[in-house]
Amino acid sequence: MRECRRCRVEVLDDTRICPLCRNVLEISGDGHPCTGYPDVKAESRKYALILRLYSFLAIVIEAALAAVNYFRFRGIWWSAISGTAFLYFYITLRYSLRKNTGYQKRIIIQIIGAVAMVIAIDHILGYQGWSLNYILPGAILLLDVTVIILMLLNMQNWQSYIPMQILAVVAAADCILFWRLGFITSPVPTFLALACSVCMLLGTLMLGDRKAKAELKRRFHV
């Protein structure tokens, strides 16, 4: 076991550098009291094992489903839907297990992954456009609602959710572009998502005043 003289911690794994201060570790055992530091590598190995196990099972099951779909083909490659779902859950599991990933980033990644999965399913089923017309704007509205809930739950640090609001506005503006290009044929949900996102962002900036301005300067240097 090694210890860091500067941080007064003992490190349980075989690393030679302190994970806190990056100081070179020394062999412990001189009787000085130290605080134990967890075996970081063991945690990483456990998470990696879970991901590998999931990947193996997903590949085996998907291969079996693809074979059944091939030999009993009825006009729809439904095995591609299950493959898309497996991929989405892999991404969700990967970012859920990573403790160094902030919960805001996890929420955004999961929403983006879910939208991408639904769009893929829409294309697999022959593309009727419902994924872009309704699911995409609905995901933006869901992000707006999520931000409001997070702000209410964390009133002392509400300004930290401004980047998520800006992301919602940018995503809604992209939907307007998709409508102009003809990919979206039912613009009402898109304009509703844009209006809600813009109103929420403007309300936050106007009511937040100094805190909102300070957050913008800190995040974007403006």
Side-chain angles (χ1 to χ4, degrees):
M1 186 179 299
R2 298 177 180 271
E3 69 178 39
C4 177
R5 301 289 186 179
R6 181 181 300 175
C7 301
R8 311 305 303 166
V9 297
E10 289 184 341
V11 180
L12 303 181
D13 58 29
D14 57 355
T15 184
R16 298 179 180 273
I17 302 297
C18 176
L20 300 178
C21 68
R22 314 306 298 173
N23 190 33
V24 177
L25 298 176
E26 300 180 14
I27 301 295
S28 61
D30 58 357
H32 294 290
C34 291
T35 302
Y37 194 84
D39 190 342
V40 179
K41 289 187 177 180
E43 286 291 311
S44 299
R45 287 193 293 269
K46 181 178 67 174
Y47 295 148
L49 177 61
I50 293 174
L51 284 176
R52 288 198 299 269
L53 179 60
Y54 172 84
S55 300
F56 171 74
L57 294 176
I59 291 173
V60 171
I61 295 174
E62 177 59 23
L65 293 176
V68 173
N69 193 183
Y70 176 78
F71 289 109
R72 295 181 176 272
F73 185 70
R74 296 294 186 272
I76 297 178
W77 288 103
W78 50 263
S79 59
I81 297 177
S82 61
T84 304
F86 281 135
L87 178 60
Y88 168 71
F89 286 117
Y90 171 82
I91 295 173
T92 301
L93 183 63
R94 181 181 180 86
Y95 281 92
S96 296
L97 292 178
R98 291 176 58 181
K99 294 183 179 180
N100 60 336
T101 303
Y103 65 92
Q104 295 188 39
K105 186 177 180 180
R106 295 181 191 180
I107 292 173
I108 293 173
I109 289 175
Q110 289 180 344
I111 291 178
I112 293 175
V115 171
M117 179 181 68
V118 172
I119 292 176
I121 292 174
D122 190 7
H123 277 81
I124 293 170
L125 296 177
Y127 190 70
Q128 301 297 319
W130 50 267
S131 57
L132 290 180
N133 283 324
Y134 305 107
I135 301 301
L136 183 56
I140 296 173
L141 291 173
L142 176 62
L143 180 59
D144 291 337
V145 173
T146 303
V147 170
I148 293 175
I149 294 174
L150 291 175
M151 292 176 69
L152 292 175
L153 293 176
N154 190 14
M155 292 292 292
Q156 293 183 347
N157 197 30
W158 58 265
Q159 69 276 6
S160 64
Y161 303 106
I162 292 179
M164 294 181 70
Q165 296 181 359
I166 295 176
L167 177 64
V169 172
V170 172
D174 289 339
C175 289
I176 298 296
L177 178 61
F178 292 157
W179 170 62
R180 296 292 296 175
L181 293 175
F183 296 111
I184 291 179
T185 56
S186 299
V188 175
T190 294
F191 280 101
L192 177 62
L194 178 62
C196 292
S197 301
V198 170
C199 288
M200 184 174 64
L201 178 60
L202 289 179
T204 301
L205 295 178
M206 294 177 66
L207 297 176
D209 196 22
R210 292 182 179 179
K211 276 193 173 183
K213 293 178 181 178
E215 183 68 15
L216 290 176
K217 290 181 179 179
R218 187 178 72 87
R219 296 273 187 169
F220 306 105
H221 305 285
V222 295

